[in-house]
Amino acid sequence: MSQVSEQQKVQPLKAPKGVAEYVPPQSSRFLAVRDALTRQAHLAGYQHIELPLFEDTNLFARGVGESTDVVTKEMYTFADRGDRSVTLRPEGTAGVVRAVIEHNLDRGQLPAKLVYSGPFFRYERPQAGRYRMFHSVGVEAIGIDDPALDAEVIALADRSYRSLGLSGFRLELTSLGDKDCRPQYRAKLQEFLNKLPLDEETRRRAEINPLRVLDDKRPEVREMTADAPLMIDHLSPACQEHFETLTGLLDDMGVAYTLNPRLVRGLDYYTKTCFEFVHDGLGAQSGIGGGGRYDGLLSILGGQDLSGVGFGLGLDRILLALDVEGVGFGNDRRVDIYGVALGAEAKQKMALIINQLRRTGVSADMSYGDRGLKGAMKGADRAQARYALVMGETELANSTVAVKDMLSHEQHTVALPNLVTHIRNLLK
Ligand code: HAM
Protein backbone atom coordinates (compact mmCIF):
# COMPACT_ATOMS: atom_id res chain seq x y z
CA MET A 1 0.00 0.00 0.00
CA SER A 2 1.16 3.52 -0.70
CA GLN A 3 2.69 5.55 2.12
CA VAL A 4 1.87 8.88 0.46
CA SER A 5 -0.49 11.00 2.55
CA GLU A 6 -3.52 12.73 1.08
CA GLN A 7 -1.71 16.11 0.88
CA GLN A 8 1.37 14.68 -0.83
CA LYS A 9 -0.66 12.95 -3.55
CA VAL A 10 0.66 13.98 -6.96
CA GLN A 11 -1.75 15.10 -9.65
CA PRO A 12 -1.69 12.74 -12.62
CA LEU A 13 -0.24 14.35 -15.73
CA LYS A 14 -2.22 14.73 -18.91
CA ALA A 15 -1.17 14.32 -22.55
CA PRO A 16 -0.27 17.63 -24.27
CA LYS A 17 -3.22 19.58 -25.64
CA GLY A 18 -4.56 18.54 -29.01
CA VAL A 19 -2.72 15.28 -29.60
CA ALA A 20 -4.45 12.20 -30.95
CA GLU A 21 -3.65 9.07 -28.96
CA TYR A 22 -4.99 5.56 -29.17
CA VAL A 23 -5.17 3.19 -26.21
CA PRO A 24 -6.66 -0.32 -26.02
CA PRO A 25 -9.16 -1.44 -27.10
CA GLN A 26 -9.47 1.29 -29.83
CA SER A 27 -5.76 1.11 -30.64
CA SER A 28 -6.21 -2.23 -32.44
CA ARG A 29 -8.48 -0.47 -34.93
CA PHE A 30 -5.86 2.21 -35.47
CA LEU A 31 -3.30 -0.46 -36.37
CA ALA A 32 -5.72 -2.43 -38.54
CA VAL A 33 -6.67 0.67 -40.54
CA ARG A 34 -3.09 1.87 -40.92
CA ASP A 35 -1.98 -1.58 -42.09
CA ALA A 36 -4.89 -1.90 -44.52
CA LEU A 37 -3.96 1.45 -46.08
CA THR A 38 -0.26 0.62 -46.43
CA ARG A 39 -1.17 -2.81 -47.78
CA GLN A 40 -3.00 -1.20 -50.71
CA ALA A 41 0.15 0.79 -51.48
CA HIS A 42 2.32 -2.34 -51.29
CA LEU A 43 -0.08 -4.04 -53.72
CA ALA A 44 0.63 -1.21 -56.16
CA GLY A 45 4.41 -1.64 -55.84
CA TYR A 46 5.22 1.07 -53.28
CA GLN A 47 8.08 0.32 -50.88
CA HIS A 48 8.29 1.35 -47.26
CA ILE A 49 10.41 4.36 -46.29
CA GLU A 50 11.08 5.24 -42.64
CA LEU A 51 12.26 8.79 -42.02
CA PRO A 52 13.22 11.02 -39.08
CA LEU A 53 10.46 12.82 -37.20
CA PHE A 54 12.57 15.98 -37.14
CA GLU A 55 14.56 17.62 -39.92
CA ASP A 56 16.63 20.72 -40.59
CA THR A 57 14.14 23.62 -40.46
CA ASN A 58 15.33 24.82 -43.88
CA LEU A 59 13.88 21.71 -45.49
CA PHE A 60 10.32 22.78 -44.72
CA ALA A 61 10.90 26.50 -45.22
CA ARG A 62 12.21 25.78 -48.72
CA GLY A 63 10.08 22.72 -49.54
CA VAL A 64 6.65 23.56 -48.16
CA GLY A 65 6.84 27.31 -48.87
CA GLU A 66 7.83 30.37 -46.82
CA SER A 67 4.39 31.98 -47.12
CA THR A 68 2.24 29.01 -46.10
CA ASP A 69 0.42 28.86 -42.76
CA VAL A 70 2.16 25.56 -42.10
CA VAL A 71 5.60 27.22 -42.19
CA THR A 72 4.80 30.67 -40.76
CA LYS A 73 2.42 29.68 -37.95
CA GLU A 74 2.29 25.98 -37.32
CA MET A 75 5.76 24.50 -37.09
CA TYR A 76 7.24 23.02 -33.93
CA THR A 77 10.70 24.54 -34.34
CA PHE A 78 13.44 24.59 -31.73
CA ALA A 79 17.20 24.80 -31.39
CA ASP A 80 18.75 21.50 -30.34
CA ARG A 81 21.63 21.34 -27.86
CA GLY A 82 24.07 21.90 -30.71
CA ASP A 83 22.19 25.09 -31.60
CA ARG A 84 20.87 23.72 -34.88
CA SER A 85 17.36 24.76 -35.83
CA VAL A 86 15.26 21.60 -36.20
CA THR A 87 11.54 21.15 -36.84
CA LEU A 88 9.15 18.29 -36.08
CA ARG A 89 7.89 17.26 -39.52
CA PRO A 90 4.61 19.01 -40.36
CA GLU A 91 4.17 16.83 -43.46
CA GLY A 92 5.90 13.98 -45.27
CA THR A 93 6.65 14.95 -48.85
CA ALA A 94 9.60 17.29 -48.25
CA GLY A 95 11.38 14.67 -46.10
CA VAL A 96 10.80 11.92 -48.67
CA VAL A 97 12.17 14.09 -51.48
CA ARG A 98 15.17 15.03 -49.32
CA ALA A 99 15.88 11.31 -48.67
CA VAL A 100 15.38 10.37 -52.34
CA ILE A 101 18.03 12.91 -53.34
CA GLU A 102 20.37 12.05 -50.45
CA HIS A 103 20.24 8.29 -51.15
CA ASN A 104 20.29 8.63 -54.95
CA LEU A 105 16.95 6.88 -55.38
CA ASP A 106 16.31 9.36 -58.20
CA ARG A 107 19.20 7.74 -60.11
CA GLY A 108 17.76 4.23 -59.96
CA GLN A 109 14.61 2.72 -61.44
CA LEU A 110 12.04 5.48 -61.93
CA PRO A 111 9.57 6.26 -60.66
CA ALA A 112 10.81 5.68 -57.13
CA LYS A 113 7.60 4.53 -55.41
CA LEU A 114 7.55 4.99 -51.65
CA VAL A 115 5.00 4.60 -48.86
CA TYR A 116 5.25 5.86 -45.28
CA SER A 117 3.15 6.26 -42.19
CA GLY A 118 3.60 7.97 -38.88
CA PRO A 119 2.96 11.08 -36.83
CA PHE A 120 3.09 14.67 -38.10
CA PHE A 121 3.08 17.88 -36.08
CA ARG A 122 1.30 21.18 -36.70
CA TYR A 123 0.60 23.82 -34.09
CA GLU A 124 -3.03 24.31 -35.09
CA ARG A 125 -6.02 25.25 -32.96
CA PRO A 126 -7.25 21.87 -31.77
CA GLN A 127 -10.83 20.83 -32.53
CA ALA A 128 -12.67 17.67 -33.53
CA GLY A 129 -10.57 16.05 -36.26
CA ARG A 130 -7.79 18.62 -36.02
CA TYR A 131 -4.83 17.76 -33.85
CA ARG A 132 -1.36 19.06 -33.13
CA MET A 133 0.03 15.59 -33.58
CA PHE A 134 -1.84 13.59 -36.17
CA HIS A 135 -1.20 10.43 -38.17
CA SER A 136 -0.96 10.03 -41.85
CA VAL A 137 -0.24 7.36 -44.47
CA GLY A 138 1.40 8.78 -47.57
CA VAL A 139 2.80 7.69 -50.91
CA GLU A 140 5.15 9.44 -53.31
CA ALA A 141 5.94 8.36 -56.90
CA ILE A 142 9.02 10.33 -57.89
CA GLY A 143 10.91 10.90 -61.11
CA ILE A 144 8.37 10.55 -63.92
CA ASP A 145 5.96 13.16 -65.22
CA ASP A 146 3.16 11.01 -66.59
CA PRO A 147 -0.57 11.59 -66.02
CA ALA A 148 -1.01 7.81 -65.80
CA LEU A 149 0.95 8.00 -62.55
CA ASP A 150 -1.35 10.73 -61.22
CA ALA A 151 -4.28 8.43 -62.04
CA GLU A 152 -2.57 5.52 -60.29
CA VAL A 153 -2.04 7.59 -57.12
CA ILE A 154 -5.62 8.91 -57.06
CA ALA A 155 -7.12 5.48 -57.78
CA LEU A 156 -4.94 4.04 -55.01
CA ALA A 157 -6.31 6.53 -52.48
CA ASP A 158 -9.87 5.86 -53.61
CA ARG A 159 -9.35 2.07 -53.37
CA SER A 160 -7.71 2.42 -49.97
CA TYR A 161 -10.77 4.14 -48.47
CA ARG A 162 -13.10 1.64 -50.09
CA SER A 163 -11.05 -1.31 -48.80
CA LEU A 164 -12.00 -0.15 -45.30
CA GLY A 165 -15.69 -0.06 -46.19
CA LEU A 166 -15.93 3.74 -46.46
CA SER A 167 -18.23 5.17 -49.10
CA GLY A 168 -19.47 8.60 -47.93
CA PHE A 169 -16.63 10.59 -49.45
CA ARG A 170 -16.00 12.47 -52.68
CA LEU A 171 -12.96 13.43 -54.68
CA GLU A 172 -12.34 17.04 -55.72
CA LEU A 173 -9.89 17.62 -58.51
CA THR A 174 -8.25 20.44 -60.43
CA SER A 175 -5.07 21.46 -62.21
CA LEU A 176 -2.89 24.26 -60.89
CA GLY A 177 -0.85 24.64 -64.09
CA ASP A 178 2.92 24.79 -64.12
CA LYS A 179 5.80 27.27 -64.33
CA ASP A 180 4.84 28.15 -67.89
CA CYS A 181 1.17 29.01 -67.43
CA ARG A 182 0.71 29.79 -63.74
CA PRO A 183 2.67 33.10 -63.57
CA GLN A 184 0.60 34.55 -66.43
CA TYR A 185 -2.61 33.39 -64.83
CA ARG A 186 -1.52 34.72 -61.45
CA ALA A 187 -0.94 38.18 -62.94
CA LYS A 188 -4.37 38.05 -64.56
CA LEU A 189 -6.01 37.05 -61.28
CA GLN A 190 -4.17 39.78 -59.37
CA GLU A 191 -5.31 42.34 -61.88
CA PHE A 192 -8.89 41.18 -61.29
CA LEU A 193 -8.54 41.17 -57.49
CA ASN A 194 -6.92 44.64 -57.45
CA LYS A 195 -10.13 46.12 -58.77
CA LEU A 196 -12.21 44.68 -55.90
CA PRO A 197 -12.96 46.48 -52.62
CA LEU A 198 -11.15 43.87 -50.51
CA ASP A 199 -10.27 44.38 -46.85
CA GLU A 200 -6.66 44.97 -45.85
CA GLU A 201 -5.81 41.39 -44.94
CA THR A 202 -7.39 39.86 -48.02
CA ARG A 203 -5.57 42.41 -50.16
CA ARG A 204 -2.31 41.30 -48.58
CA ARG A 205 -3.22 37.69 -49.28
CA ALA A 206 -3.94 38.62 -52.86
CA GLU A 207 -0.37 39.94 -53.12
CA ILE A 208 1.29 36.87 -51.63
CA ASN A 209 -0.95 34.05 -52.84
CA PRO A 210 -3.91 35.27 -54.91
CA LEU A 211 -5.23 31.75 -55.46
CA ARG A 212 -6.10 31.57 -51.77
CA VAL A 213 -8.55 34.44 -52.13
CA LEU A 214 -10.61 32.19 -54.41
CA ASP A 215 -10.88 29.71 -51.58
CA ASP A 216 -12.25 32.35 -49.14
CA LYS A 217 -15.42 30.97 -47.56
CA ARG A 218 -17.05 34.37 -46.69
CA PRO A 219 -20.18 34.93 -48.83
CA GLU A 220 -19.29 38.56 -49.68
CA VAL A 221 -15.85 37.52 -50.98
CA ARG A 222 -17.40 34.56 -52.81
CA GLU A 223 -19.80 36.93 -54.53
CA MET A 224 -17.08 39.39 -55.51
CA THR A 225 -14.90 36.63 -56.97
CA ALA A 226 -17.71 34.77 -58.73
CA ASP A 227 -16.42 35.91 -62.14
CA ALA A 228 -12.72 35.67 -61.32
CA PRO A 229 -10.52 34.05 -63.96
CA LEU A 230 -9.80 30.40 -63.09
CA MET A 231 -6.53 28.53 -63.60
CA ILE A 232 -8.34 25.62 -65.23
CA ASP A 233 -9.35 27.96 -68.12
CA HIS A 234 -5.80 29.24 -68.56
CA LEU A 235 -3.75 26.06 -68.72
CA SER A 236 -0.91 25.74 -71.22
CA PRO A 237 -1.54 23.14 -73.95
CA ALA A 238 0.84 20.72 -72.18
CA CYS A 239 -0.95 21.11 -68.81
CA GLN A 240 -4.33 20.86 -70.53
CA GLU A 241 -3.28 17.60 -72.19
CA HIS A 242 -1.93 16.26 -68.90
CA PHE A 243 -5.23 17.02 -67.17
CA GLU A 244 -7.38 15.56 -69.94
CA THR A 245 -5.38 12.33 -69.99
CA LEU A 246 -5.74 12.09 -66.21
CA THR A 247 -9.50 12.67 -66.16
CA GLY A 248 -9.92 10.25 -69.08
CA LEU A 249 -8.08 7.56 -67.15
CA LEU A 250 -10.09 8.19 -63.99
CA ASP A 251 -13.30 7.91 -66.04
CA ASP A 252 -12.13 4.61 -67.51
CA MET A 253 -11.15 3.30 -64.08
CA GLY A 254 -14.54 4.27 -62.67
CA VAL A 255 -13.06 6.69 -60.11
CA ALA A 256 -15.69 9.40 -59.59
CA TYR A 257 -14.55 13.03 -59.10
CA THR A 258 -15.93 16.53 -59.19
CA LEU A 259 -13.97 19.39 -60.70
CA ASN A 260 -13.26 22.11 -58.18
CA PRO A 261 -11.27 24.84 -59.93
CA ARG A 262 -11.11 26.79 -56.63
CA LEU A 263 -9.43 23.99 -54.77
CA VAL A 264 -6.48 25.35 -52.81
CA ARG A 265 -4.22 23.29 -50.57
CA GLY A 266 -2.10 24.58 -47.74
CA LEU A 267 1.23 23.60 -49.29
CA ASP A 268 3.03 25.55 -52.01
CA TYR A 269 4.72 22.81 -54.00
CA TYR A 270 1.79 21.66 -56.13
CA THR A 271 1.76 21.98 -59.92
CA LYS A 272 -0.66 20.48 -62.44
CA THR A 273 -2.78 17.85 -60.64
CA CYS A 274 -4.16 18.75 -57.23
CA PHE A 275 -6.85 16.81 -55.36
CA GLU A 276 -8.60 16.37 -52.07
CA PHE A 277 -10.85 13.66 -50.65
CA VAL A 278 -13.67 15.12 -48.59
CA HIS A 279 -15.96 13.27 -46.18
CA ASP A 280 -19.29 14.98 -45.65
CA GLY A 281 -19.96 13.45 -42.24
CA LEU A 282 -17.03 15.12 -40.49
CA GLY A 283 -18.04 18.76 -40.11
CA ALA A 284 -15.40 21.46 -40.57
CA GLN A 285 -12.38 19.15 -40.72
CA SER A 286 -13.67 17.16 -43.67
CA GLY A 287 -10.45 16.54 -45.62
CA ILE A 288 -9.60 12.86 -45.20
CA GLY A 289 -6.71 12.98 -47.66
CA GLY A 290 -5.16 14.98 -50.42
CA GLY A 291 -2.21 15.39 -52.68
CA GLY A 292 -1.01 16.26 -56.12
CA ARG A 293 1.95 16.64 -58.43
CA TYR A 294 5.02 18.69 -57.61
CA ASP A 295 7.23 19.60 -60.57
CA GLY A 296 9.75 21.89 -58.91
CA LEU A 297 10.24 20.33 -55.49
CA LEU A 298 13.25 18.13 -56.28
CA SER A 299 15.24 20.97 -57.81
CA ILE A 300 14.25 23.40 -55.03
CA LEU A 301 15.76 20.88 -52.61
CA GLY A 302 18.97 20.55 -54.65
CA GLY A 303 18.08 17.51 -56.75
CA GLN A 304 17.58 16.89 -60.46
CA ASP A 305 14.81 18.62 -62.35
CA LEU A 306 12.33 15.78 -61.86
CA SER A 307 8.66 15.71 -60.98
CA GLY A 308 6.73 13.64 -58.45
CA VAL A 309 3.18 12.93 -57.36
CA GLY A 310 1.70 11.65 -54.11
CA PHE A 311 -0.89 11.87 -51.37
CA GLY A 312 -1.29 11.95 -47.60
CA LEU A 313 -4.29 10.24 -45.98
CA GLY A 314 -5.36 11.44 -42.53
CA LEU A 315 -5.59 8.35 -40.37
CA ASP A 316 -7.30 10.06 -37.43
CA ARG A 317 -10.03 11.51 -39.63
CA ILE A 318 -10.48 8.19 -41.43
CA LEU A 319 -11.13 6.55 -38.05
CA LEU A 320 -13.70 9.25 -37.28
CA ALA A 321 -15.30 8.70 -40.70
CA LEU A 322 -15.55 4.95 -40.04
CA ASP A 323 -17.41 5.76 -36.81
CA VAL A 324 -19.73 8.19 -38.61
CA GLU A 325 -20.55 5.56 -41.24
CA GLY A 326 -20.89 2.88 -38.58
CA VAL A 327 -18.31 0.65 -40.24
CA GLY A 328 -16.71 -1.82 -37.86
CA PHE A 329 -13.21 -2.44 -39.12
CA GLY A 330 -10.56 -4.63 -37.59
CA ASN A 331 -10.72 -7.43 -35.10
CA ASP A 332 -11.20 -6.74 -31.40
CA ARG A 333 -9.87 -10.16 -30.45
CA ARG A 334 -6.83 -9.76 -28.26
CA VAL A 335 -5.88 -13.44 -28.25
CA ASP A 336 -7.33 -16.68 -29.64
CA ILE A 337 -6.70 -18.74 -26.53
CA TYR A 338 -7.16 -17.77 -22.89
CA GLY A 339 -6.03 -20.05 -20.05
CA VAL A 340 -8.03 -20.31 -16.83
CA ALA A 341 -6.35 -22.35 -14.10
CA LEU A 342 -7.55 -22.89 -10.55
CA GLY A 343 -4.97 -23.57 -7.85
CA ALA A 344 -1.21 -23.15 -7.76
CA GLU A 345 -0.30 -26.41 -9.45
CA ALA A 346 -2.79 -26.00 -12.29
CA LYS A 347 -1.53 -22.47 -12.83
CA GLN A 348 2.03 -23.69 -13.21
CA LYS A 349 0.94 -26.27 -15.78
CA MET A 350 -1.19 -23.68 -17.62
CA ALA A 351 1.78 -21.28 -17.85
CA LEU A 352 3.71 -24.02 -19.67
CA ILE A 353 0.81 -24.78 -22.01
CA ILE A 354 0.38 -21.10 -22.88
CA ASN A 355 4.11 -20.76 -23.44
CA GLN A 356 4.10 -23.76 -25.77
CA LEU A 357 1.12 -22.42 -27.74
CA ARG A 358 2.88 -19.09 -28.24
CA ARG A 359 5.99 -20.93 -29.44
CA THR A 360 3.94 -22.55 -32.19
CA GLY A 361 2.53 -19.19 -33.27
CA VAL A 362 -0.84 -19.29 -31.49
CA SER A 363 -1.86 -16.05 -29.75
CA ALA A 364 -2.53 -16.90 -26.13
CA ASP A 365 -2.83 -15.34 -22.69
CA MET A 366 -3.97 -16.53 -19.28
CA SER A 367 -5.48 -15.35 -16.03
CA TYR A 368 -3.01 -14.21 -13.37
CA GLY A 369 -3.45 -13.58 -9.66
CA ASP A 370 -5.88 -15.37 -7.38
CA ARG A 371 -9.12 -15.27 -9.30
CA GLY A 372 -11.98 -17.70 -8.97
CA LEU A 373 -13.45 -19.39 -12.04
CA LYS A 374 -15.95 -16.60 -12.68
CA GLY A 375 -13.42 -13.77 -12.48
CA ALA A 376 -10.94 -15.66 -14.64
CA MET A 377 -13.57 -16.42 -17.29
CA LYS A 378 -14.33 -12.71 -17.43
CA GLY A 379 -10.73 -12.28 -18.57
CA ALA A 380 -11.42 -14.69 -21.44
CA ASP A 381 -14.51 -12.66 -22.36
CA ARG A 382 -12.68 -9.35 -22.26
CA ALA A 383 -9.88 -10.72 -24.43
CA GLN A 384 -12.62 -11.86 -26.86
CA ALA A 385 -10.81 -15.19 -26.92
CA ARG A 386 -12.10 -17.85 -29.30
CA TYR A 387 -11.45 -20.69 -26.82
CA ALA A 388 -10.83 -20.81 -23.09
CA LEU A 389 -8.68 -23.59 -21.66
CA VAL A 390 -9.89 -24.52 -18.19
CA MET A 391 -7.86 -26.56 -15.74
CA GLY A 392 -9.33 -27.29 -12.28
CA GLU A 393 -8.74 -30.12 -9.84
CA THR A 394 -10.37 -32.82 -11.99
CA GLU A 395 -8.46 -31.88 -15.13
CA LEU A 396 -5.23 -31.69 -13.15
CA ALA A 397 -5.77 -35.17 -11.71
CA ASN A 398 -6.59 -36.61 -15.17
CA SER A 399 -3.89 -34.67 -17.09
CA THR A 400 -6.55 -33.11 -19.31
CA VAL A 401 -7.83 -29.64 -20.18
CA ALA A 402 -11.41 -28.53 -20.74
CA VAL A 403 -11.64 -26.57 -24.02
CA LYS A 404 -14.54 -24.13 -23.98
CA ASP A 405 -15.81 -22.62 -27.21
CA MET A 406 -16.51 -19.01 -26.27
CA LEU A 407 -19.08 -18.56 -29.06
CA SER A 408 -21.20 -21.72 -28.73
CA HIS A 409 -20.35 -22.21 -25.02
CA GLU A 410 -19.84 -25.92 -25.72
CA GLN A 411 -17.06 -27.66 -23.87
CA HIS A 412 -14.97 -30.76 -24.52
CA THR A 413 -12.05 -32.44 -22.82
CA VAL A 414 -8.64 -33.01 -24.40
CA ALA A 415 -5.68 -35.02 -23.07
CA LEU A 416 -2.64 -32.83 -22.36
CA PRO A 417 -0.22 -34.52 -24.82
CA ASN A 418 -2.64 -33.83 -27.72
CA LEU A 419 -3.56 -30.30 -26.71
CA VAL A 420 -1.29 -28.12 -28.87
CA THR A 421 -2.06 -30.05 -32.07
CA HIS A 422 -5.76 -30.06 -31.19
CA ILE A 423 -5.85 -26.27 -30.68
CA ARG A 424 -3.94 -25.60 -33.86
CA ASN A 425 -6.46 -27.71 -35.78
CA LEU A 426 -9.38 -25.92 -34.15
CA LEU A 427 -7.99 -22.52 -35.19
CA LYS A 428 -7.26 -23.51 -38.80
P1 HAM B 1 -2.18 17.60 -46.19
O1 HAM B 1 -3.47 17.70 -46.90
O2 HAM B 1 -1.65 18.80 -45.54
O3 HAM B 1 -1.14 17.04 -47.26
O4 HAM B 1 -2.29 16.45 -45.12
C1 HAM B 1 -2.76 15.15 -45.49
C2 HAM B 1 -3.97 14.75 -44.65
O5 HAM B 1 -3.60 14.73 -43.28
C3 HAM B 1 -5.13 15.72 -44.71
O6 HAM B 1 -5.96 15.45 -45.82
C4 HAM B 1 -5.85 15.44 -43.41
O7 HAM B 1 -6.70 14.31 -43.55
C5 HAM B 1 -4.72 15.07 -42.48
N1 HAM B 1 -4.37 16.20 -41.60
C6 HAM B 1 -3.68 17.32 -41.90
N2 HAM B 1 -3.57 18.14 -40.84
C7 HAM B 1 -4.22 17.52 -39.82
C8 HAM B 1 -4.47 17.85 -38.44
N3 HAM B 1 -4.00 18.97 -37.89
N4 HAM B 1 -5.20 16.98 -37.70
C9 HAM B 1 -5.67 15.82 -38.23
N5 HAM B 1 -5.45 15.46 -39.51
C10 HAM B 1 -4.75 16.28 -40.30
C11 HAM B 1 0.14 16.75 -47.03
O8 HAM B 1 0.63 16.74 -45.93
C12 HAM B 1 0.93 16.37 -48.26
N6 HAM B 1 2.28 15.98 -47.84
C13 HAM B 1 0.26 15.27 -49.06
C14 HAM B 1 1.04 14.94 -50.29
C15 HAM B 1 1.87 13.90 -50.48
N7 HAM B 1 1.08 15.68 -51.40
C16 HAM B 1 1.91 15.11 -52.26
N8 HAM B 1 2.41 14.02 -51.72
Side-chain angles (χ1 to χ4, degrees):
M1 281 287 118
S2 164
Q3 300 294 309
V4 184
S5 77
E6 219 30 60
Q7 284 150 330
Q8 288 171 304
K9 231 181 191 171
V10 281
Q11 285 298 319
L13 293 174
K14 293 228 161 74
K17 193 172 172 211
V19 301
E21 52 183 4
Y22 299 90
V23 300
Q26 288 80 8
S27 49
S28 66
R29 222 157 73 97
F30 174 89
L31 270 192
V33 170
R34 186 196 67 188
D35 293 350
L37 296 174
T38 51
R39 184 179 141 68
Q40 290 298 326
H42 291 307
L43 285 176
Y46 289 75
Q47 289 180 296
H48 179 73
I49 185 165
E50 187 69 38
L51 293 176
L53 300 194
F54 63 90
E55 296 264 8
D56 184 329
T57 301
N58 287 319
L59 173 67
F60 303 115
R62 268 202 262 164
V64 175
E66 303 265 19
S67 73
T68 57
D69 280 356
V70 170
V71 169
T72 55
K73 300 182 190 159
E74 296 172 3
M75 294 210 300
Y76 279 90
T77 298
F78 56 95
D80 71 6
R81 287 173 191 274
D83 219 19
R84 300 168 201 92
S85 177
V86 292
T87 295
L88 300 182
R89 61 182 189 186
E91 63 96 51
T93 311
V96 171
V97 169
R98 192 266 308 141
V100 161
I101 298 167
E102 188 168 339
H103 300 283
N104 292 319
L105 299 184
D106 56 336
R107 305 201 181 260
Q109 174 69 33
L110 295 181
K113 292 171 68 166
L114 303 159
V115 56
Y116 51 93
S117 68
F120 296 88
F121 307 84
R122 295 182 192 175
Y123 194 82
E124 297 196 79
R125 200 167 46 76
Q127 65 180 86
R130 186 164 69 190
Y131 309 109
R132 290 182 173 166
M133 173 173 151
F134 61 96
H135 302 84
S136 192
V137 171
V139 304
E140 312 294 344
I142 296 174
I144 303 277
D145 185 2
D146 181 343
L149 210 44
D150 305 34
E152 171 180 296
V153 162
I154 292 174
L156 171 57
D158 184 75
R159 199 161 55 244
S160 299
Y161 298 124
R162 290 187 197 285
S163 76
L164 303 174
L166 279 182
S167 58
F169 63 89
R170 60 202 156 76
L171 162 62
E172 297 194 343
L173 181 67
T174 195
S175 172
L176 295 176
D178 65 4
K179 64 177 185 331
D180 293 328
C181 52
R182 191 149 73 201
Q184 285 170 33
Y185 162 73
R186 196 185 136 104
K188 202 170 255 174
L189 177 60
Q190 267 169 339
E191 199 181 307
F192 175 90
L193 294 174
N194 281 341
K195 291 186 195 136
L196 300 179
L198 297 170
D199 61 85
E200 202 46 45
E201 201 190 324
T202 316
R203 184 157 302 290
R204 214 170 314 123
R205 197 173 311 142
E207 284 303 313
I208 301 167
N209 191 342
L211 267 85
R212 267 207 208 134
V213 181
L214 297 186
D215 188 42
D216 201 310
K217 303 282 185 284
R218 289 173 295 178
E220 64 275 20
V221 182
R222 290 245 133 184
E223 204 170 304
M224 278 193 272
T225 59
D227 297 327
L230 296 172
M231 182 72 247
I232 201 84
D233 300 322
H234 294 82
L235 295 174
S236 66
C239 285
Q240 182 69 30
E241 194 187 328
H242 187 104
F243 194 58
E244 277 169 17
T245 310
L246 165 63
T247 49
L249 276 164
L250 292 177
D251 290 338
D252 292 346
M253 288 174 174
V255 176
Y257 55 86
T258 44
L259 295 183
N260 178 1
R262 289 171 182 251
L263 179 65
V264 177
R265 307 210 351 100
L267 311 158
D268 269 358
Y269 45 63
Y270 294 116
T271 53
K272 302 193 184 95
T273 310
C274 178
F275 59 90
E276 197 152 277
F277 286 86
V278 180
H279 196 285
D280 288 319
L282 291 187
Q285 304 305 314
S286 58
I288 54 169
R293 182 164 281 284
Y294 40 88
D295 281 351
L297 188 55
L298 266 83
S299 49
I300 286 174
L301 297 178
Q304 304 180 72
D305 187 12
L306 291 172
S307 181
V309 61
F311 64 58
L313 311 183
L315 203 46
D316 314 278
R317 291 185 191 170
I318 291 172
L319 286 161
L320 293 173
L322 286 167
D323 283 345
V324 167
E325 289 197 31
V327 181
F329 188 85
N331 186 349
D332 290 333
R333 177 161 297 148
R334 189 157 70 78
V335 285
D336 285 325
I337 301 298
Y338 195 87
V340 169
L342 305 171
E345 205 184 332
K347 264 165 62 181
Q348 251 182 25
K349 279 236 156 66
M350 186 57 78
L352 296 183
I353 294 169
I354 295 298
N355 195 45
Q356 180 130 31
L357 283 169
R358 289 173 180 161
R359 267 195 199 144
T360 63
V362 173
S363 68
D365 199 359
M366 66 180 276
S367 161
Y368 289 104
D370 281 325
R371 294 221 175 88
L373 181 62
K374 224 169 140 193
M377 284 306 287
K378 215 174 242 169
D381 267 337
R382 291 214 171 112
Q384 304 222 2
R386 184 67 189 81
Y387 297 97
L389 306 185
V390 185
M391 190 182 254
E393 267 176 33
T394 320
E395 288 83 8
L396 189 64
N398 297 336
S399 285
T400 58
V401 165
V403 178
K404 180 167 182 188
D405 185 321
M406 296 297 287
L407 294 179
S408 68
H409 301 290
E410 280 165 14
Q411 192 167 308
H412 58 277
T413 303
V414 181
L416 266 187
N418 306 332
L419 185 66
V420 171
T421 316
H422 179 79
I423 294 291
R424 284 169 59 91
N425 283 335
L426 279 180
L427 291 174
K428 257 184 198 158

